[in-house]
Amino acid sequence: MESILSERILSTPPSFVRSILKTAADPKIISFAGGLPNPVSFPQKELSESMTRITKTFSDKVFQYSITPGIPELRDTIAKRYNKKFGLNLTEENVIITTGSQQALDLIAKVLLDKGDNVILEKPSYLGAIQVFSQYQPKFHMVELTENGLDIEQLKEALKNKTKLMYAIPEFQNPTGLTYSEQNRKEILETIKDENLVLVEDDPYGELRFTGKHLPYIGAGKFKNSIVLGSFSKVVTPGMRTGYIISENKELLKHISISKEASDLHTNVFAQYLIWDYLTHNDFDAHIQTIRELYKKQAAAMLNAMDKYFPSSVKYTRPDGGMFLWVTLPEGVSALKLFPKALEKCVAFVPGDPFYINQKDVNTLRLNYTNADCETIEEGIKRLGELLKGI
Amino acid sequence: MESILSERILSTPPSFVRSILKTAADPKIISFAGGLPNPVSFPQKELSESMTRITKTFSDKVFQYSITPGIPELRDTIAKRYNKKFGLNLTEENVIITTGSQQALDLIAKVLLDKGDNVILEKPSYLGAIQVFSQYQPKFHMVELTENGLDIEQLKEALKNKTKLMYAIPEFQNPTGLTYSEQNRKEILETIKDENLVLVEDDPYGELRFTGKHLPYIGAGKFKNSIVLGSFSKVVTPGMRTGYIISENKELLKHISISKEASDLHTNVFAQYLIWDYLTHNDFDAHIQTIRELYKKQAAAMLNAMDKYFPSSVKYTRPDGGMFLWVTLPEGVSALKLFPKALEKCVAFVPGDPFYINQKDVNTLRLNYTNADCETIEEGIKRLGELLKGI
């Protein structure tokens, strides 16, 4: 069998997400491992109303084949929302609907990367991005993430390699929960502005800010080959796999659309009408506010418990939004080796390893705070704290 | 821009499907171009009932993230159906749900093909398969399709190149409407049985047989590296983008699942519950029978009109099922050049070119008969006939 597999699949790192979702499925485990939104973020009643409405209004149209870039209604709604929020100047032609943001990453890599091409990532980066990009066999260059954003000197160093793709999550980064400062964003733009590369700003959590002020994108509206990725997974429903690509570069979008057509023809059209109808008939911002307030409480519960139960040798980030925070253990302590011990105590997290390229036994780990109530969060952190006191 | 695009996207043939769907969208045009199922095949009332039931029964589960291979309920239902119909011995572990069959093709290519690898296709083959495989830059070897199936001598010749992937649509082939005979299927199996290749039998139309008897697969149950692709697009709804991969080779499925996770995490979970619930609570076979009877009438309407209006120099296939038939014009007549003239008469078809590799101005074209009523079909064929008399 192995002899007929592609090089790309043989070079794909083993999947952590898979084992994470499996772990998270066991109800005995207090799981800080997944990236599951809290079910409160699914407006179930309103979505059910929208289902009735769209099947009545559009009849067979919601069940039939449709066009590759997505239904114009939804793309137009997204464009207008971004224009209002970020002062951009988008139309539906700047938007392609994707089968979740994960597909967007696949399509972008497909359109840009040949084997050996250089890709810049944050250090650490989203493991799903590493996984999907790996299938196109690029050369990765990781740029350290600091409290303020990317390390600019390291970025300049990385750019000495002719780079096609730079991937960043400037807002409540996955896995660290860090947010790039406005100053850092300006410096990044200044650093890359003459480069012939595509900057992807992945922004699935941007709506989930519970502290601090809203910040502009690095590239959108300013950098020619800028792409912003968005998703309804964290604010409406992830089960419907509806994300989107925004870019002012229509030539780039044309290629992405051709590639999408080859990949799955188009995204579930019922899901597109559903989300569009939901957005049109409800107070979406009020709904988001509910999620923000919940996550603010849950993040605070986790941080308070960490302050109380973790030894002072363990450091962690304090996110202004999003779903994750990042823990740094004392030097030399392997989070991966800690993982089975935590599972014995019925607590799960994601060891840092899969967020790096080819690094083993790192001393960092990711915690998710959105999918457990505050008491459970405290209990889980307490158990982890007991474990950490023994290291 | 072009300088940072991947080789693969630059080598992808331009999309005909896109322009086809655009053409088909103009209500003035009698379109035989698309591959749209008749809306009668969408059980809208029953699907609406299923929506109500699954949102009530499963609550947030239908809106949350899920596992990559698909929900066990649907995979189990598919396995049992194939066991019953084809005498196979499958469990849910032999089934992966995909975002339409198109994604299945992408994942299979991703898992198998390195640049320059040999792929065997029918001549002509499904344009969407050519399009998606092209992105992995293989070397294509086309094997002539006859009235009885693949030309075995040409297949043997093609197999002299070490082949990783063989792709075929033995039942109501797209684009030709031809079906491989049972004898031909046996000869193919005999020819490939010792080869280390993956045989993909794409079977989206298998349920749509309106004449003749049901035939066994070439490879399923008999050939180790066999894959069968199925889809709910033609029998429930294409808008929901729900297809599946069946294989007895679990190692192959494991790699496909890893690749799917990187590509879109999982298929829309609401759609999966919806289709599973629909299959569980309704007489699916009675529904399929309704579609079959309709398509039988529509195919007959098209063939009768062709017998009446087409000059005898024009040849065409007589399908036993599926959605398409295939027209061969006199030698030297370009279907592509005929296309704009047909559009002037407000009739659309797909010129044969995109179903071949690097062939221009072929004398073949594809007609779809499922998405227009019998009177419209007769009128469209009459107009085409007038045009053909002038060639």
Side-chain angles (χ1 to χ4, degrees):
Chain A
M1 184 75 230
E2 194 156 306
S3 64
I4 60 168
L5 295 175
S6 62
E7 266 187 38
R8 97 175 47 80
I9 197 74
L10 295 173
S11 70
T12 299
S15 163
F16 266 75
V17 174
R18 182 186 314 251
S19 47
I20 289 161
L21 286 177
K22 272 193 189 150
T23 307
D26 183 341
K28 284 200 315 290
I29 305 281
I30 299 177
S31 180
F32 304 137
L36 301 188
N38 194 293
V40 84
S41 62
F42 319 149
Q44 294 187 51
K45 188 177 135 281
E46 293 81 357
L47 289 172
S48 290
E49 286 163 11
S50 286
M51 284 175 204
T52 308
R53 195 156 41 225
I54 62 172
T55 47
K56 199 177 282 178
T57 313
F58 296 103
S59 180
D60 54 81
K61 215 173 161 185
V62 301
F63 297 110
Q64 188 55 284
Y65 283 113
S66 186
I67 55 171
T68 298
I71 64 166
E73 294 90 334
L74 181 58
R75 289 154 64 208
D76 178 64
T77 303
I78 292 167
K80 285 185 176 135
R81 187 168 174 86
Y82 277 73
N83 290 346
K84 196 172 160 199
K85 197 169 167 196
F86 295 95
L88 299 174
N89 193 18
L90 309 168
T91 72
E92 62 175 74
E93 298 204 333
N94 300 108
V95 182
I96 291 178
I97 306 297
T98 57
T99 306
S101 274
Q102 188 68 29
Q103 188 194 36
L105 298 177
D106 186 44
L107 298 176
I108 291 165
K110 219 176 228 170
V111 161
L112 295 175
L113 300 181
D114 290 314
K115 186 175 166 179
D117 281 345
N118 296 302
V119 172
I120 292 178
L121 299 177
E122 299 149 322
K123 184 176 185 177
S125 182
Y126 167 49
L127 61 84
I130 295 174
Q131 209 187 350
V132 63
F133 294 159
S134 292
Q135 301 214 359
Y136 299 90
Q137 302 170 274
K139 192 150 183 263
F140 289 116
H141 302 271
M142 285 197 137
V143 173
E144 203 87 37
L145 201 53
T146 71
E147 282 287 318
N148 298 316
L150 283 184
D151 180 313
I152 300 294
E153 288 314 307
Q154 281 193 24
L155 176 60
K156 285 179 183 163
E157 194 57 35
L159 285 167
K160 286 182 181 161
N161 309 288
K162 189 179 169 305
T163 303
K164 277 191 170 179
L165 174 60
M166 174 171 162
Y167 172 76
I169 313 165
E171 206 85 345
F172 326 129
Q173 200 248 8
N174 181 358
T176 63
L178 292 169
T179 295
Y180 297 19
S181 70
E182 197 162 355
Q183 179 57 24
N184 185 259
R185 292 171 197 233
K186 282 183 188 154
E187 287 169 19
I188 293 169
L189 180 61
E190 191 54 35
T191 308
I192 64 166
K193 71 175 194 301
D194 298 322
E195 300 285 338
N196 190 23
L197 58 77
V198 172
L199 169 68
V200 176
E201 295 181 76
D202 193 358
D203 188 28
Y205 318 112
E207 299 278 14
L208 304 179
R209 176 180 284 280
F210 41 73
T211 314
K213 72 169 183 136
H214 171 68
L215 294 170
Y217 284 115
I218 300 167
K222 294 160 249 172
F223 182 66
K224 180 181 60 143
N225 291 341
S226 153
I227 286 179
V228 168
L229 303 184
S231 170
F232 294 105
S233 289
K234 311 302 189 275
V235 286
V236 184
T237 159
M240 289 284 175
R241 312 302 304 121
T242 314
Y244 46 91
I245 296 175
I246 293 176
S247 181
E248 281 143 314
N249 185 332
K250 289 189 190 169
E251 195 196 340
L252 183 56
L253 288 181
K254 186 191 78 185
H255 291 291
I256 290 172
S257 184
I258 290 171
S259 191
K260 176 165 173 66
E261 185 179 41
S263 299
D264 70 354
L265 296 186
H266 61 76
T267 292
N268 187 311
V269 66
F270 180 85
Q272 294 183 59
Y273 276 107
L274 180 69
I275 290 175
W276 167 74
D277 184 274
Y278 165 75
L279 296 176
T280 310
H281 288 86
N282 296 278
D283 186 345
F284 184 39
D285 289 316
H287 171 63
I288 290 171
Q289 191 52 34
T290 315
I291 309 173
R292 273 188 205 129
E293 279 161 20
L294 177 70
Y295 289 1
K296 182 176 189 169
K297 268 189 216 140
Q298 290 172 315
M302 186 169 272
L303 286 163
N304 290 340
M306 291 165 91
D307 293 346
K308 193 164 154 189
Y309 297 113
F310 277 17
S312 62
S313 58
V314 174
K315 309 294 175 199
Y316 38 89
T317 58
R318 294 186 170 269
D320 292 334
M323 300 171 60
F324 304 107
L325 56 79
W326 188 240
V327 177
T328 305
L329 306 174
E331 199 115 351
V333 177
S334 159
L336 194 63
K337 292 197 176 119
L338 203 66
F339 184 71
K341 293 178 196 162
L343 269 192
E344 277 172 28
K345 287 184 174 284
C346 289
V347 187
F349 56 81
V350 189
D353 296 19
F355 302 102
Y356 301 90
I357 309 292
N358 295 327
Q359 273 188 262
K360 287 271 161 283
D361 289 313
V362 298
N363 64 330
T364 45
L365 60 92
R366 188 189 77 177
L367 297 178
N368 164 272
Y369 47 76
T370 62
N371 204 30
D373 60 51
C374 295
E375 291 70 40
T376 310
I377 289 174
E378 169 151 12
E379 175 59 28
I381 293 296
K382 191 177 160 191
R383 291 185 204 171
L384 270 187
E386 284 160 16
L387 202 61
L388 291 171
K389 275 173 191 150
I391 59 174
Chain B
M1 184 74 229
E2 195 156 304
S3 63
I4 59 167
L5 296 174
S6 62
E7 266 187 36
R8 96 175 46 81
I9 197 77
L10 295 172
S11 70
T12 299
S15 166
F16 266 74
V17 174
R18 183 186 312 251
S19 48
I20 289 162
L21 287 176
K22 271 193 190 150
T23 308
D26 183 342
K28 284 203 314 292
I29 305 283
I30 299 178
S31 181
F32 304 136
L36 300 189
N38 195 292
V40 84
S41 62
F42 319 149
Q44 294 187 50
K45 188 177 136 282
E46 292 82 356
L47 288 173
S48 290
E49 287 163 9
S50 286
M51 283 174 204
T52 308
R53 196 156 39 226
I54 62 172
T55 47
K56 199 177 284 179
T57 312
F58 297 104
S59 179
D60 54 84
K61 214 171 161 184
V62 302
F63 297 111
Q64 186 58 282
Y65 283 113
S66 185
I67 55 172
T68 298
I71 64 166
E73 293 90 336
L74 181 58
R75 289 154 64 208
D76 178 66
T77 303
I78 292 166
K80 286 185 175 133
R81 188 169 174 87
Y82 278 72
N83 290 346
K84 197 173 159 196
K85 198 170 167 197
F86 295 96
L88 300 174
N89 192 19
L90 308 169
T91 71
E92 63 175 71
E93 298 205 333
N94 299 110
V95 182
I96 291 178
I97 306 297
T98 58
T99 305
S101 274
Q102 189 68 29
Q103 188 194 35
L105 298 177
D106 187 45
L107 297 176
I108 291 164
K110 218 177 230 171
V111 161
L112 295 176
L113 300 182
D114 290 313
K115 187 175 168 181
D117 280 344
N118 296 301
V119 172
I120 293 179
L121 299 176
E122 298 149 322
K123 183 178 187 177
S125 181
Y126 167 49
L127 62 84
I130 295 174
Q131 208 187 350
V132 61
F133 295 158
S134 292
Q135 300 214 357
Y136 299 90
Q137 301 170 276
K139 192 151 183 264
F140 289 116
H141 302 271
M142 286 195 138
V143 174
E144 203 87 37
L145 200 54
T146 72
E147 283 286 320
N148 298 317
L150 283 184
D151 182 312
I152 301 294
E153 289 314 308
Q154 279 193 25
L155 176 60
K156 285 178 184 165
E157 193 58 35
L159 284 168
K160 286 181 181 163
N161 309 287
K162 188 181 170 306
T163 302
K164 278 191 170 180
L165 173 61
M166 174 171 164
Y167 172 77
I169 313 166
E171 206 85 344
F172 327 129
Q173 200 249 7
N174 182 357
T176 63
L178 292 170
T179 295
Y180 296 20
S181 70
E182 197 162 352
Q183 179 59 26
N184 186 257
R185 291 172 199 231
K186 281 182 190 156
E187 285 168 21
I188 292 170
L189 180 62
E190 193 53 37
T191 308
I192 64 166
K193 70 175 194 301
D194 298 322
E195 299 285 338
N196 190 22
L197 58 75
V198 172
L199 169 68
V200 176
E201 294 180 77
D202 193 358
D203 188 27
Y205 317 112
E207 300 277 14
L208 304 179
R209 176 179 284 281
F210 43 71
T211 314
K213 70 168 183 134
H214 171 69
L215 294 170
Y217 284 115
I218 300 167
K222 292 161 250 171
F223 182 66
K224 180 181 60 143
N225 293 339
S226 153
I227 286 179
V228 167
L229 302 184
S231 171
F232 294 105
S233 289
K234 311 302 188 275
V235 284
V236 185
T237 159
M240 289 283 174
R241 312 302 305 120
T242 313
Y244 46 92
I245 296 176
I246 293 175
S247 181
E248 281 142 312
N249 185 332
K250 289 189 190 170
E251 196 196 337
L252 183 56
L253 288 181
K254 186 191 76 184
H255 290 292
I256 289 172
S257 184
I258 290 171
S259 191
K260 175 162 173 68
E261 183 178 43
S263 297
D264 69 354
L265 296 186
H266 61 77
T267 293
N268 187 311
V269 66
F270 180 86
Q272 295 184 58
Y273 275 106
L274 180 71
I275 289 175
W276 167 75
D277 184 274
Y278 166 75
L279 297 176
T280 310
H281 287 87
N282 296 279
D283 186 346
F284 184 40
D285 288 317
H287 170 64
I288 291 170
Q289 192 52 34
T290 314
I291 309 173
R292 276 188 203 128
E293 279 161 21
L294 177 69
Y295 289 1
K296 182 177 191 167
K297 269 188 215 140
Q298 291 173 315
M302 185 168 274
L303 286 163
N304 291 339
M306 290 165 90
D307 294 345
K308 192 164 156 191
Y309 298 113
F310 278 16
S312 63
S313 58
V314 174
K315 309 295 176 199
Y316 37 88
T317 57
R318 294 186 171 269
D320 293 333
M323 301 172 59
F324 305 107
L325 54 80
W326 187 242
V327 177
T328 305
L329 305 174
E331 200 115 351
V333 178
S334 159
L336 194 63
K337 289 193 178 124
L338 203 68
F339 185 71
K341 293 178 196 161
L343 269 193
E344 276 171 30
K345 287 183 173 284
C346 289
V347 188
F349 55 80
V350 189
D353 296 20
F355 302 101
Y356 303 89
I357 309 293
N358 296 326
Q359 273 188 261
K360 286 271 160 284
D361 290 314
V362 298
N363 65 331
T364 46
L365 60 91
R366 190 189 76 177
L367 298 178
N368 164 272
Y369 48 75
T370 62
N371 204 30
D373 60 52
C374 295
E375 292 70 40
T376 310
I377 288 174
E378 170 151 12
E379 175 58 28
I381 292 296
K382 192 177 162 191
R383 292 186 203 169
L384 270 186
E386 286 160 14
L387 202 61
L388 290 172
K389 275 172 192 148
I391 57 176

